[in-house]
Amino acid sequence: MIHAGQAEPATARTAGPLSGQLRVPGDKSISHRSLMFGGLASGVTRITGLLEGEDVLATGRAMGAMGARIERDGKAWVITGTGNGCLLQPEAPLDFGNAGTGCRLTMGLAGVYDMETTFSGDASLSRRPMGRVLDPLRRIGVQVRAAEGDRLPVTLHGPKTAAPIEYRVPVPSAQVKSAVLLAGLNTPGITTVIEPVMTRDHTEKMLAGFGAHLEVATDEDGARVIRLEGQPVLTGRDIDVPGDPSSAAFPLVAALLVPGSDIVIENVLMNPTRTGVILTLQEMGGQIDIVNWRDAGGEDVADLRVRHSELKGITVPPDRAPSMIDEYPVLAVAASFAEGETLMEGLDELRVKESDRLSATANGLKANGVDCVEGETSLLVRGTPGGRGLGGGTVETHLDHRIAMAFLTMGLASQKPVAIDDAAMIATSFPEFMGLMRGLGANIE
Ligand code: S3P
């Protein structure tokens, strides 16, 4: 299984300790939303620190196709929005490549308009379930044409006037929550989303920053209830995107695993809906000092000093999964080097990511000599302190950037090199990965 371009195999080997300071690129979730909300708002939005990965650029192209003006000004991006309610019908299908977030959020945003919008993507995205977003859109009155199993390509046509809904999100998914809220932006009345398990809250926070009226409460069962007033005036603003904790996880785990390492990762987003992996690695004995906490435009950020550590296995509580859902592949790599067993549970959603990440992770571990057990919704890893005997395999990445980066991280500390079949997809979320890791002293070629 390869993408349209040429596969780019890569191999990681042990080298000396990792050292130095680095900044990872801007947070992917916030970057997508910055382009979407800036493209929708009236007036100008100026974005610094935007992740210029392929996923985010696809969202930018989609907003451009619906009437937003998106220009680069030195290191900043300047967006002139259409005004809420004023998106234009795109002339051609919107191609989201590998990007589930861009695709699903835009389905909510544009799908409720009385116009025809078609969504397409690469082989990975075309296999991923879209019913989770199409079901609530159908209830709002959107006409849906989709490939079998509610897969891409999907064509949406909104009603003359959309009907507000109350929607209980059936899976813990910020993408589903966000798609319904974004549909509510062009729907008269109050759209209500109930999420029994809290997921990343960037949509709520950022929409409020653009001028939308939202109320967030907790009901008697502890579920979060979000009420959005429809058809708000949204106004452009300045956004400085903090570093992505999901990208920071790779150099972070690398420094924990490679003996003698001592690095600082600067300006990392510390929103508590995103920091589960830091807490988990600290519980495993990882020396991660969180320093220089500060507020950056409404989000907490901090610098992370990370030193090589002897890790021990733990049980990761399933209710932590939403706050570290993208970090399990690299956490499983860390667990391979820990003393004892690490049990990760509540991993249902990993099956429907850019790849079936649960089996891709387990297969990658097994190919490199790790003793692990893949359950239906869990992963048990038996660690080998020091990585003795680990490595020597080639990992199938299945068009998944995080599988690629997780196993290159593994090769930096295992006794034998680790190869991956294709590093090209890393550009979707972390184009600077190879350069930044080599800058710390990593051996990846
Ligand atoms: C994201 C939500 C998560 C996450 C994805 C980004 C977002 O997906 O895995 O990388 O920006 O809303 P789900 O909503 O499917 O859990």
Side-chain angles (χ1 to χ4, degrees), residues 103-333:
C103 184
R104 294 197 178 114
L105 268 60
T106 307
M107 283 180 173
L109 180 71
V112 286
Y113 279 64
D114 180 13
M115 64 184 192
E116 193 153 290
T117 317
T118 297
F119 299 79
S120 64
D122 72 1
S124 154
L125 191 55
S126 302
R127 269 192 303 272
R128 297 180 67 185
M130 295 297 154
R132 50 181 55 201
V133 169
L134 301 179
D135 287 343
L137 290 182
R138 288 183 176 108
R139 283 187 43 197
I140 294 170
V142 177
Q143 288 180 326
V144 176
R145 289 203 309 275
E148 209 187 318
D150 271 349
R151 302 294 204 269
L152 295 181
V154 163
T155 299
L156 302 178
H157 197 135
K160 286 267 174 286
T161 307
I165 58 168
E166 177 178 301
Y167 194 67
R168 194 177 178 87
V169 184
V171 282
S173 165
Q175 294 179 0
V176 176
K177 165 178 69 177
S178 302
V180 178
L181 289 173
L182 298 189
L185 289 177
N186 196 36
T187 301
I190 307 286
T191 292
T192 305
V193 178
I194 303 169
E195 60 168 2
V197 181
M198 184 172 181
T199 60
R200 65 191 69 194
D201 59 355
H202 307 303
T203 297
E204 298 92 299
K205 280 183 146 177
M206 291 178 68
L207 280 181
F210 275 90
H213 296 290
L214 298 101
E215 268 176 24
V216 183
T218 307
D219 72 11
E220 58 279 8
D221 303 325
R224 247 173 122 241
V225 182
I226 307 151
R227 291 191 183 82
L228 171 81
E229 239 175 69
Q231 301 179 316
V233 173
L234 302 178
T235 310
R237 54 182 297 231
D238 289 353
I239 299 173
D240 188 19
V241 183
D244 194 330
S246 300
S247 297
F250 301 106
L252 194 161
V253 168
L256 291 176
L257 298 183
V258 177
S261 296
D262 188 351
I263 68 167
V264 175
I265 313 172
E266 297 173 336
N267 197 42
V268 180
L269 173 70
M270 294 301 288
N271 180 314
T273 64
R274 300 290 302 283
T275 49
V277 74
I278 297 175
L279 179 63
T280 302
L281 288 165
Q282 284 174 328
E283 287 175 3
M284 293 172 77
Q287 298 183 74
I288 307 167
D289 298 324
I290 303 171
V291 296
N292 201 9
W293 271 92
R294 56 205 184 268
D295 174 86
E299 288 285 8
D300 283 348
V301 300
D303 302 336
L304 307 178
R305 179 173 179 207
V306 190
R307 280 170 283 176
H308 170 250
S309 309
E310 305 295 336
L311 301 178
K312 59 178 191 320
I314 62 164
T315 295
V316 186
D319 60 3
R320 201 178 285 169
S323 70
M324 51 183 290
I325 193 66
D326 291 333
E327 284 68 77
Y328 282 100
V330 77
L331 178 68
V333 165

